[in-house]
Structures are given as C-alpha cells and as structure tokens.
Amino acid sequence: MEEPLLDFDAVDRLRGQPLDWRYKGLPPHVTTVDELIGRRVPVDGFTSPVAVLDGPALTHNLDRYAAFCAERGLAFAPHVKTTMAPALAAEQARRGAWAFTVANVAQARVLRAFGARRILLAHHVVDANSAGWLAAEQEHAEISCWVDSAAAVAALDAAAAAAGRSIPVFVELGLPGGRTGARGVSAAAEVARAVEKAPGLRLAGVAGYEGTYGHGRSAGGVAAVRRHLEELMRLAEAVDAETVTAGGSAYPDLVAEAFAGLGGARRAVLRSGAYVAHDDAHYAGLSPFPLRPALRAWATVVSTPEPGRAFLNLGKRDVSYDLDLPVPLTVLRHGEHRPLERVTVTALNDQHAYLSDPAGEVEVGDWIACGISHPCTMFERWRALPVVDEESRVTDLVHTFF
C-alpha cells in the first residue's frame, strides 16, 4: 500500500497551536481553536477586518476537481502556492492528489515539514543554495523542478554531483512572448538532450503553463491556449516524455481535452490551484466549472463623511487587489443580513476601502461582507482563516505559511 502523500498527523497538530495577537481578526480573548468553534462570524467577538473560508463552498470545489480528474484520467498535483495551507493540502491528498505543486524552495520546505513526499517545483532552481537543498532532499522525497536552458541544466547537475543524488527535472516549453520556458519544440528538445547527458539529472517529463497565453474565454484566447497545448504534446512525443503537465484554474477543460490525445503510457498531470477558493470576479468569469467562491472578507463601515461615499477599515493589507477590487455583497445591521444593490469599492489604501454608495445603503457600524478577486494574493494576507458553515459558525481554523 502506497504511503500517504502527506503526514496527516502533523497537519492535525496545527489545531493545538495557541492563538494570540499574531492572528488578526480573531476574538482577542480566544486562545485555542476549540474556543473558536461555534462562534458566529463576525458578531461573536471578531474584530474588523476578518477573513473567512466558506466550508461548504470549499468542500464543493475540492470534490468537483477530484471528480473531474478521475473522470478524465488525470493525475492531480494541486498548486499549493495559492493557499500555503497544509490543512487544505491534506484535503486534496485525501481526495487522491498524486503530488503537490509549489513555486519555490521556501514553499517546498513548508510542505516537507508536513511530510510531503512528492512535489513539483514549477519553477527554475539555479542558485547554488537552493539547488543544493533540492539535491540533498531527494533522500527523503521526490522533488522535481523545471529547466529551460543548458545553463539551468548545468547548475542543477553540479548540485546533484555535490550531493551525490539524482534530481528529476521537467523541460519547460514556452512560446515567444510568453513567460519562462524554452522557446518552441526544437529548443525544448535541445534542453532535453542536455538533461540526458547530465549524469546527475533525470528527465521526468515536460511542462507548460497555458495561462500565460490565454486572455479570457474569447475565441482568440482559447485558440492561443490550444496552440500552446498542441506544442506541448508535440514536445512530449519528440522526447518520449514519461509525464506531461500543465494547467491552472482558468483552462483545465482545454488541458484535459489536449491530454486526451496523449500517446503511449504517458502520465497526464493537472496543476490547478486557485480553484480551491475560487472568487467573485476574475476566476468567476474564467472557470469552466460551477465552482463556489469560498473567501469572504468582513469589515465595518467606519466613516460616511459625505453623501454617496463611505469607508471600510479594509485595505491592501487585507484583500487582493492586483486583478480586481473587492466586491461588496451583503450588509449586516442589527443582526439582519441584506444584499447590497449599488455599493461598489472604487479604490483601496493600505487600510481603507473607498465605497461608492449612491443610494445610501450603508451607515457607520455596519458590517460588510466582500467577495474577492484572485485568491492567490488573498491567502498570503492572513496567517489563519476561520472556516464557517452555512450559518457563519466556525467549524475549524486554517493556518497558512507564506
């Protein structure tokens, strides 16, 4: 029987960590997770602002992706850099994840602290210290990384020789105008030949990332994604790759469609990450699946200095803003929830959200629930997030490690 992908007992021990001033938004006098359970957010002692995870939405999203991968014969290596939350990684492992994906050595070290035994480091490792750690860690876990040049191959091969360990690598394919990756199939195949000549490296497969090329679900965006994936399939055939991997949370359906045409016994690996929490703006308009937004940020109206304008004590330190501004959803006043009709966030400062409120829907002291855009830049702002049920009662606490 195969060992678990993660040490579930190590994850469970997080529940015993004391709570104190390091965790913003939590009730000041709560010191344990057990004391949080059953409290209603935001009214039972929480301070503003506070971010929460919708438990039923999380479960729905996790289950939906697990089912999709099973239906399409895809191995799943969820991109944990989105959440950096071992508790959520454990849920992905319980649902059959084959590996975890991260973006750098620091993130890989977090997962190794919780016993992760197979990690795709979807980035390039060329500095000597990082490469040395990667090589040495092969004694305990299988950790692969990307290469797209002879220089990257040489750097890793030197680290492998020094550690006396073999490093598995994926050749990354890129296209002109994209991000990293060897430019085109011919150049990527040359890198693969360099890997085969490097005694300290092993060609684990080929990798791509289609999100760089697509911009929305327009015909042009979809066509650009398909072109990249077609080139990735060509590369896999050219180098006889054991494993082919791609996939963010915007185009998993197109990745699955392309991977269905893989020849031989190649393993097809999907690497989506943002799907876990989804959102109310960016991915809401991109994902092909009926996912549910699972992140909410609660904050209070602290000022209404002039007609049509109000301010929340919620800012860039608390919510993502790199793609879209937060989306005001509901107001809580005197214990009653009601949807907001015309209130929008027009700007953010470090600790303030500017609200346009033309109909005078909010007043000082109101709690406002906001949806977010781009979960990848939301989780990093919170060291702990309460998980709540349909009645906004806390059922658990998720720790993050950025």
Side-chain angles (χ1 to χ4, degrees), residues 327-401:
V327 182
L329 300 170
T330 61
V331 58
L332 173 61
R333 182 187 303 158
H334 305 313
E336 294 186 5
H337 295 262
R338 60 182 175 82
L340 292 169
E341 302 293 339
R342 299 174 59 192
V343 177
T344 58
V345 174
T346 60
L348 291 177
N349 292 154
D350 286 351
Q351 311 290 175
H352 291 87
Y354 291 65
L355 295 186
S356 171
D357 181 23
E361 297 178 68
V362 306
E363 59 186 46
V364 171
D366 285 346
W367 281 96
I368 307 296
C370 290
I372 60 97
S373 180
H374 201 195
C376 296
T377 53
M378 176 69 178
F379 278 92
E380 67 194 41
R381 288 163 167 76
W382 297 87
R383 297 184 64 170
L385 294 128
V387 181
V388 300
D389 62 16
E390 296 92 337
E391 297 179 348
S392 295
R393 294 187 182 277
V394 177
T395 60
D396 203 353
L397 186 71
V398 166
H399 293 265
T400 66
F401 296 88

Side-chain angles (χ1 to χ4, degrees), residues 202-276:
R202 175 176 66 83
L203 182 63
V206 298
Y209 175 59
E210 74 291 340
T212 300
Y213 306 100
H215 301 284
R217 284 272 170 176
S218 68
V222 168
V225 167
R226 285 196 168 118
R227 278 195 298 273
H228 174 64
L229 293 170
E230 287 166 4
E231 293 290 282
L232 185 61
M233 298 304 100
R234 285 184 56 213
L235 175 62
E237 294 290 341
V239 303
D240 194 21
E242 171 188 335
T243 299
V244 185
T245 178
S249 294
Y251 307 103
D253 54 330
L254 302 185
V255 173
E257 175 187 292
F259 283 0
L262 281 173
R266 306 189 206 287
R267 178 186 294 111
V269 180
L270 183 67
R271 304 194 311 271
S272 309
Y275 82 95
V276 174

Side-chain angles (χ1 to χ4, degrees), residues 5-6 76-80 88-90 92-93 97-102 111 116-121:
L5 187 59
L6 204 67
F76 193 30
H79 211 324
V80 181
L88 297 180
Q92 292 166 318
W98 172 76
F100 296 117
T101 304
V102 295
L111 284 183
R117 60 180 180 79
R118 185 180 297 114
I119 300 171
L120 306 183
L121 204 164

